[in-house]
Amino acid sequence: MLSFLYSFIALLYGYALGSIPSGYIFTKHFTGQDIRTIGSGNIGATNALRTGNKVVAILTLLGDSLKGVLVILSLKILSFSQEALLLAGAAAVLGHIFPVWLNFKGGKGVATTFGVILVTSWPLGLLILGTWTFTAVIWRYSSLAAIVASASAPIWSLLFLDTSIAIWATFLALLVLFKHTDNINRLLAGKEPKIGASKPKSKMDKS
């Protein structure tokens, strides 16, 4: 019963912290704009960059990542079980993607997922970061790098960690892949913009 209670607390805590909309807060504070009315309407760092303010984009990226870091780190300090940590981490990513404060319309979860994984298992975090960097440098698609890095997490987990981490990483990867459906369709159609390319005049899909 006590174990269930701790897991439930971890779940609620993870979701609450993960649902803090960093991109919305920083965009509103520094530019006075509602990020949901800019570009794709997404609250993540990619769309925050479309405000024309690089500081906002950087702070959004850091804020989204730190949400994941703080969720896991604080519960580790309080000696929560690994099961509770994994639940809290997954809840943090869900909170970022479906924040209650913004009618459950949030970001794609990449930065928060990385923050959660990095503190849960720093070797796995570094492997994922390396995978993202390699993919981004070779093919120059940010979305493809995110997709490949997320999909690699369960594989790295099976190779170097344990089954429970692999199952957890698979769930996180599926969330990220689900939120990148539009990007996948554009990649297959050859219409996805590359890193550094000027954005098209028409309104872009969420990224």
Side-chain angles (χ1 to χ4, degrees), residues 141 143 182-194 197-200 202 204-205:
Y141 290 109
S143 59
D182 291 334
N183 301 89
I184 292 171
N185 289 333
R186 288 199 300 269
L187 284 165
L188 293 174
K191 297 180 180 179
E192 181 77 345
K194 291 191 174 185
S198 58
K199 66 175 182 177
S202 59
M204 294 183 69
D205 291 325

Side-chain angles (χ1 to χ4, degrees), residues 110 128 132 135-136 141-152 176-177 180:
V110 177
I128 292 172
W132 187 95
T135 307
Y141 290 109
S142 178
S143 59
L144 179 62
I147 292 165
V148 172
S150 299
S152 74
V176 173
L177 290 173
H180 280 81

Side-chain angles (χ1 to χ4, degrees), residues 6-207:
Y6 278 121
S7 294
F8 183 69
I9 291 172
L11 198 65
L12 289 181
Y13 173 65
Y15 177 82
L17 196 55
S19 66
I20 297 173
S22 307
Y24 175 84
I25 293 171
F26 288 129
T27 301
K28 198 72 172 178
H29 177 75
F30 285 98
T31 72
Q33 303 176 80
D34 186 336
I35 193 172
R36 295 171 296 177
T37 66
I38 299 169
S40 66
N42 191 271
I43 66 169
T46 299
N47 199 46
L49 188 59
R50 295 180 183 133
T51 64
N53 191 319
K54 292 182 179 179
V55 172
V56 170
I58 292 171
L59 288 176
T60 298
L61 179 63
L62 291 175
D64 289 344
S65 300
L66 284 174
K67 289 189 298 187
V69 169
L70 289 174
V71 164
I72 302 299
L73 190 59
S74 57
L75 293 182
K76 272 189 173 182
I77 292 173
L78 294 173
S79 299
F80 274 64
S81 66
Q82 177 171 289
E83 178 185 300
L85 293 178
L86 298 184
L87 283 173
V93 177
L94 284 170
H96 176 76
I97 295 174
F98 306 108
V100 64
W101 320 111
L102 300 179
N103 297 318
F104 303 102
K105 296 179 180 178
K108 292 195 171 181
V110 177
T112 305
T113 295
F114 176 71
V116 163
I117 290 177
L118 184 63
V119 184
T120 301
S121 173
W122 65 264
L124 178 59
L126 292 181
L127 285 168
I128 292 172
L129 179 60
T131 303
W132 187 95
T133 303
F134 176 81
T135 307
V137 169
I138 298 300
W139 286 283
R140 295 182 55 222
Y141 290 109
S142 178
S143 59
L144 179 62
I147 292 165
V148 172
S150 299
S152 74
I155 299 172
W156 293 128
S157 300
L158 283 174
L159 289 174
F160 300 110
L161 298 171
D162 57 58
T163 304
S164 62
I165 296 290
I167 293 172
W168 175 69
T170 299
F171 175 74
L172 297 181
L174 289 174
L175 285 177
V176 173
L177 290 173
F178 169 72
K179 292 298 294 183
H180 280 81
T181 302
D182 291 334
N183 301 89
I184 292 171
N185 289 333
R186 288 199 300 269
L187 284 165
L188 293 174
K191 297 180 180 179
E192 181 77 345
K194 291 191 174 185
I195 296 172
S198 58
K199 66 175 182 177
K201 294 180 180 180
S202 59
K203 184 178 178 180
M204 294 183 69
D205 291 325
K206 292 186 177 183
S207 61

